[in-house]
Amino acid sequence: YGDAPDVRISGNAELTFPYVPTHLHYILLELLKNSMRATMDFHGPDGADVDDLPPIEVVISNGKEHEDVVIKVADEGGGIPRSNMKKIWSYLFTTADPAIQEGMIVLNENVDHGIDSPLAGLGYGLPISRSYAQYFGGDLSIMSMEGHGTDAFVHLVRLGNTREPLPI
């Protein structure tokens, strides 16, 4: 779109805790880009002044007993229809324009893949993000209000307090 809503970070923004940085980066990037795309789609990229777009709110919190770190990403991007809520955890489910996927198809017989990566449209982001969170005992949950917006909650168990879920 060329524009994006602001992102406001509140809560315990100075919090440090042990975690795998690449997993955390992947999860948050996925949630933020989904929120930004939804906000731009819902508020109309053509009709909205970027200064009038509702911001994406990120709240960082850790529990009283320091059991979990919880990160909430909230948007006013129109929400997810209830009929799609179970589908968002399925690989290859996407609400993005199919034209995005067409750009991934390479019609050159000398190469077997493209080098461009779209920001949306492949349907892997949320399922992989939830798997990353769950691998170390956390979780990713989505609460949505169709017609208004979506709140995503990332629960991360501080590494060092739990073991990998591997059979002994």
Side-chain angles (χ1 to χ4, degrees):
Y1 296 111
D3 287 319
D6 288 338
V7 176
R8 294 188 186 149
I9 300 172
S10 62
N12 194 347
E14 303 301 319
L15 178 67
T16 61
F17 61 100
Y19 207 77
V20 180
T22 53
H23 289 192
L24 188 57
H25 179 267
Y26 185 91
I27 293 167
L28 292 177
L29 179 63
E30 183 62 30
L31 294 175
L32 288 169
K33 70 181 182 174
N34 285 354
S35 288
M36 288 183 181
R37 184 175 70 89
T39 300
M40 293 302 295
D41 286 349
F42 187 67
H43 292 279
D46 300 327
D49 182 5
V50 72
D51 294 328
D52 294 333
L53 292 172
I56 310 298
E57 301 284 347
V58 178
V59 181
I60 303 167
S61 178
N62 61 325
K64 189 186 299 186
E65 302 298 321
H66 304 290
E67 178 182 334
D68 285 352
V69 173
V70 182
I71 303 170
K72 177 174 92 168
V73 178
D75 66 58
E76 294 180 27
I80 302 166
R82 200 163 60 99
S83 60
N84 282 346
M85 286 303 293
K86 288 184 181 180
K87 296 176 191 173
I88 65 173
W89 304 115
S90 299
Y91 288 96
L92 301 178
F93 175 75
T94 183
T95 59
D97 185 346
I100 293 171
Q101 290 180 342
E102 290 174 14
M104 295 297 292
I105 299 172
V106 176
L107 299 177
N108 184 338
E109 62 188 40
N110 296 325
V111 295
D112 63 354
H113 63 280
I115 58 171
D116 296 329
S117 178
L119 281 178
L122 300 179
Y124 292 100
L126 284 177
I128 289 175
S129 294
R130 186 166 74 168
S131 293
Y132 278 165
Q134 289 175 339
Y135 185 75
F136 291 114
D139 204 2
L140 170 59
S141 58
I142 306 281
M143 295 297 295
S144 189
M145 182 184 296
E146 187 177 7
H148 179 72
T150 300
D151 291 357
F153 296 89
V154 183
H155 294 263
L156 303 171
V157 176
R158 295 166 184 270
L159 293 186
N161 295 349
T162 186
R163 298 183 186 274
E164 293 181 58
L166 299 174
I168 297 178

